[in-house]
Amino acid sequence: MTASARLLIVGPQGSGKGTQGVRIAEAFGIPVVSTGDIFRANIKGGTPLGAQVSEITARGDLVPDELTSEIVRDRLSQDDAANGFLLDGYPRNSVQVGHLDEFLTGRGEALDAVILLDVPRDESIERLRLRAEEQGRADDTTEAIAHRLDIYENETAPILGMYGVRGIVDKIDGVGSLDEITERVFAALAVRGLRVEN
Ligand code: ADP
């Protein structure tokens, strides 16, 4: 049996949240719902949604909240998310927090934990620079990176206050080996009674 868990992973660009998110979701047997991945897949596949968001994402701007929230609601309504999910990259601002709250409350659900991967800005920028060399993502230009980090600090970091008052934020030191960081997350989740079954 897999454990049910409704999780959100938050961290600055380059914090490694994508990588950690996949590891955590796999261990719990829940799907990763990454808005960035959904947008990139649509851009690659040449869908109407892809056409709508390609310029916005390349600039490092946010896709409109209503559109993004609609996509997440659709995704979370699929059967594989019934017992849990790990959100990566959504919600990213206070409006999206409101949308997600409304949706989850309507289903009698709530987030169990918000994992904050804490990485210093210098370290994030260095990791992004390396990723740009390796992967060449359209939004890994110097300008788009700085813009995304600014949006993170101004719009995304404040949502931690909203979740903090609910007592569901686990701040995890995001500097270390991949395995060390995964273990830190598992340890924090276990304190909340969210345990991976081996
Ligand atoms: P990163 O965290 O490195 O910026 P993501 O893969 O999470 O990368 O997101 C890539 C881009 O997709 C964002 O810069 C933004 O344009 C768009 N995007 C992703 N998630 C959201 C969201 N929740 N709201 C609005 N736009 C989003």
Side-chain angles (χ1 to χ4, degrees):
M1 203 192 88
T2 50
S4 123
R6 294 183 176 84
L7 308 174
L8 162 62
I9 189 160
V10 183
Q13 285 73 15
S15 61
K17 71 185 159 58
T19 308
Q20 292 298 335
V22 168
R23 290 173 157 228
I24 297 156
E26 264 175 15
F28 279 92
I30 54 178
V32 174
V33 176
S34 158
T35 41
D37 283 351
I38 293 172
F39 292 140
R40 276 186 292 278
N42 278 274
I43 293 167
K44 204 172 163 205
T47 69
L49 173 65
Q52 212 176 337
V53 304
S54 70
E55 284 182 17
I56 300 174
T57 58
R59 282 198 303 268
D61 279 330
L62 292 189
V63 172
D65 294 327
E66 262 310 331
L67 176 60
T68 306
S69 293
E70 185 59 35
I71 286 160
V72 173
R73 284 192 290 266
D74 277 358
R75 179 64 189 86
L76 293 181
S77 301
Q78 291 172 24
D79 288 348
D80 65 339
N83 280 321
F85 49 78
L86 180 140
L87 286 165
D88 169 3
Y90 178 94
R92 247 188 175 49
N93 60 25
S94 58
V95 173
Q96 295 180 7
V97 171
H99 289 165
L100 180 65
D101 278 346
E102 203 183 320
F103 175 76
L104 292 180
T105 306
R107 301 211 303 186
E109 297 174 2
L111 289 179
D112 296 309
V114 175
I115 302 154
L116 166 62
L117 273 193
D118 190 33
V119 173
R121 186 171 170 125
D122 285 355
E123 170 94 14
S124 301
I125 291 175
E126 177 58 16
R127 290 186 192 175
L128 286 171
R129 209 184 49 74
L130 288 174
R131 187 175 79 187
E133 283 177 13
E134 286 164 11
Q135 298 178 11
R137 246 173 69 168
D139 59 353
D140 277 346
T141 61
T142 310
E143 268 180 15
I145 287 173
H147 188 47
R148 278 150 57 219
L149 281 167
D150 285 343
I151 294 179
Y152 178 80
E153 280 166 19
N154 296 327
E155 297 188 43
T156 308
I159 74 171
L160 294 163
M162 302 172 78
Y163 289 126
V165 295
R166 303 181 197 177
I168 56 172
V169 177
D170 287 319
K171 184 171 171 177
I172 307 294
D173 178 2
V175 180
S177 73
L178 283 182
D179 286 346
E180 273 165 5
I181 298 164
T182 308
E183 284 309 318
R184 287 175 199 150
V185 174
F186 287 155
L189 294 178
V191 173
R192 297 184 183 279
L194 299 168
R195 286 198 174 75
V196 183
E197 293 174 28
N198 293 309

